[in-house]
Amino acid sequence: MFKVKVYITLRENVLDPQGAAVKSSLHSMSYESVSDVRIGKYMELTIEKNNRDIDEIVKEMCERLLANTVIEDYRYEIEEVVAL
Amino acid sequence: MFKVKVYITLRENVLDPQGAAVKSSLHSMSYESVSDVRIGKYMELTIEKNNRDIDEIVKEMCERLLANTVIEDYRYEIEEVVAL
């Protein structure tokens, strides 16, 4: 079994209106030292072992469904969990 | 200047309909080995140095705005960036 953590972020040159809204809220709550906020997604997947390479599966799932690669970047961490 | 990464996840006993939808989509794309999907948020904040303790500021922002602590957990990483 694998525990996979996927981080999806907007590409650097893509506007982030949600981040801008959070930044403005933080300013209005007097956290003026916050100069930038970018909001992305974080996913935790549990994947059972099968005959395909786990790295290949995760990459393919990111490209095909989890991330919109036109505007988003992704990175992931795979950890194998051994059942006792 | 500090770069802060905030990870917000749903508490374990809270239902995640978005995760369930993604899992079902992955199954229909024949990734049947995916047994669980949990979706959270990932935020990158840039915070200028000021006279308050950075750890205290970030914790306070998470509690007051970024996370809904009734249903969400949060954790964060703080990295100091030194301007050259």
Side-chain angles (χ1 to χ4, degrees):
Chain A
M1 192 176 81
F2 301 96
K3 288 275 180 191
V4 180
K5 294 174 179 175
V6 180
Y7 306 88
I8 294 171
T9 46
L10 280 173
R11 279 168 184 265
E12 223 164 285
N13 52 347
V14 175
L15 286 178
D16 180 1
Q18 200 189 351
V22 169
K23 179 181 155 187
S24 142
S25 297
L26 287 170
H27 281 197
S28 72
M29 292 164 79
S30 72
Y31 299 108
E32 281 97 354
S33 56
V34 176
S35 58
D36 192 39
V37 180
R38 300 283 285 176
I39 297 186
K41 273 171 284 183
Y42 168 64
M43 302 182 195
E44 289 177 347
L45 285 79
T46 308
I47 305 180
E48 304 306 326
K49 215 166 180 161
N50 67 3
N51 52 1
R52 285 192 60 196
D53 179 52
I54 180 73
D55 195 81
E56 194 187 299
I57 297 182
V58 175
K59 191 160 194 283
E60 209 179 86
M61 291 194 310
C62 286
E63 295 277 342
R64 291 181 63 193
L65 182 78
L66 304 180
N68 174 351
T69 54
V70 177
I71 55 166
E72 292 170 331
D73 287 322
Y74 63 86
R75 64 192 168 81
Y76 53 84
E77 291 160 13
I78 298 171
E79 186 196 339
E80 184 159 8
V81 181
V82 181
L84 294 176
Chain B
M1 193 176 80
F2 299 95
K3 289 274 182 193
V4 180
K5 293 174 180 175
V6 181
Y7 307 88
I8 296 172
T9 45
L10 280 174
R11 280 169 185 264
E12 223 163 287
N13 52 346
V14 176
L15 286 178
D16 179 1
Q18 201 189 351
V22 168
K23 180 183 154 187
S24 140
S25 297
L26 287 169
H27 282 199
S28 72
M29 291 164 80
S30 72
Y31 299 109
E32 281 97 355
S33 56
V34 177
S35 58
D36 193 40
V37 180
R38 300 284 286 176
I39 297 188
K41 275 172 280 184
Y42 168 65
M43 304 182 191
E44 289 178 347
L45 284 79
T46 308
I47 305 181
E48 304 305 327
K49 214 164 180 162
N50 67 3
N51 52 2
R52 285 192 60 196
D53 178 52
I54 181 71
D55 195 81
E56 193 187 301
I57 297 182
V58 175
K59 192 161 193 281
E60 209 179 83
M61 291 193 310
C62 286
E63 295 277 342
R64 290 182 62 193
L65 182 77
L66 304 180
N68 174 352
T69 53
V70 177
I71 54 165
E72 291 170 333
D73 287 321
Y74 64 86
R75 61 192 170 82
Y76 52 84
E77 291 161 10
I78 298 171
E79 184 195 342
E80 183 157 10
V81 181
V82 182
L84 294 178

